[in-house]
Amino acid sequence: MTIRLGDVAPDFTADTTEGQIQFHEYLGDGWGILFSHPADFTPVCTTELGEFAKRKDEFTKRNTKLIGLSVDPVESHKRWVSDIFETQGQVPNYPIIGDEDKTVANLYGMIHPNASDTFTVRTVFIIGPDKKVKLMLTYPASVGRNIDEILRVLDSLQLSSKYPVSTPVNWKQGSEVIIAPAISDDEAKERFPGGFRTLKPYLRLTQQPSE
Ligand code: BEZ
């Protein structure tokens, strides 16, 4: 199945390291990140799952739940956890799906046959409180993900969900944002009382709004 931005993230029930989970129920009213790794007991994946665990508080602060996945059985995930602790200093503190029959992997298009028939590629799906897919990332097996980048795009998505703004190239928390072109200058003056600067009629920058 092909998933596109804006689609409802397919719901499923799956066995995980924290018991059986119904995906939408697990996400509740918040945001979610579903991510796949190619295989347990592999080097890059070991570093990634440890780092997701170490940074979990930063996701929780953003009202975002994590859930991992590979096609290895739950029993394998549970055995691998001690290696993750030993080498990365943290056990995964989020559920990891054991998708042995590839049900979820196929629902989310996580198997790319020209990369591997058997492994899931490294994917990241960010899902909004409306259960729609807001962002998708896909990496090859040889490249570990960047958790800072995942937090950065999550921040950008959450900001755009609250204010009529988007974020420019290399944007980071606290730097200027772009006012949506649909907002008139008069409305922009009201909504962004700190002012804004106009580089082009379609490119107006303002301080990052906050509550
Ligand atoms: C890794 O995590 O290092 C890895 C996983 C699957 C294939 C190759 C490398």
Side-chain angles (χ1 to χ4, degrees), residues 35-52 80 83-84 87-88 94 119-123 139-147:
F35 64 97
S36 57
H37 67 274
D40 296 355
F41 299 100
T42 55
V44 175
C45 303
T46 300
T47 63
E48 288 187 318
L49 271 81
E51 188 65 15
F52 269 116
W80 182 34
D83 286 4
I84 297 175
T87 60
Q88 309 304 310
Y94 46 80
F119 292 163
T120 44
V121 290
R122 299 184 200 284
T123 61
Y139 289 68
S142 60
V143 181
R145 283 160 282 200
N146 183 321
I147 308 298

Side-chain angles (χ1 to χ4, degrees), residues 100-175:
E100 281 179 272
D101 63 5
K102 303 188 173 79
T103 302
V104 182
N106 287 328
L107 264 181
Y108 280 80
M110 292 167 166
I111 307 236
H112 295 201
N114 291 325
S116 165
D117 277 339
T118 45
F119 292 163
T120 44
V121 290
R122 299 184 200 284
T123 61
V124 178
F125 292 86
I126 299 188
I127 294 146
D130 58 0
K131 306 288 180 295
K132 291 191 177 162
V133 176
K134 305 296 181 189
L135 182 129
M136 301 183 289
L137 295 168
T138 307
Y139 289 68
S142 60
V143 181
R145 283 160 282 200
N146 183 321
I147 308 298
D148 289 331
E149 171 62 2
I150 295 171
L151 288 164
R152 189 190 78 90
V153 294
L154 184 57
D155 283 341
S156 173
L157 288 165
Q158 293 190 341
L159 198 60
S160 295
S161 75
K162 288 190 205 131
Y163 304 99
V165 299
S166 51
T167 56
V169 60
N170 293 338
W171 174 83
K172 288 210 175 102
Q173 266 293 3
S175 33

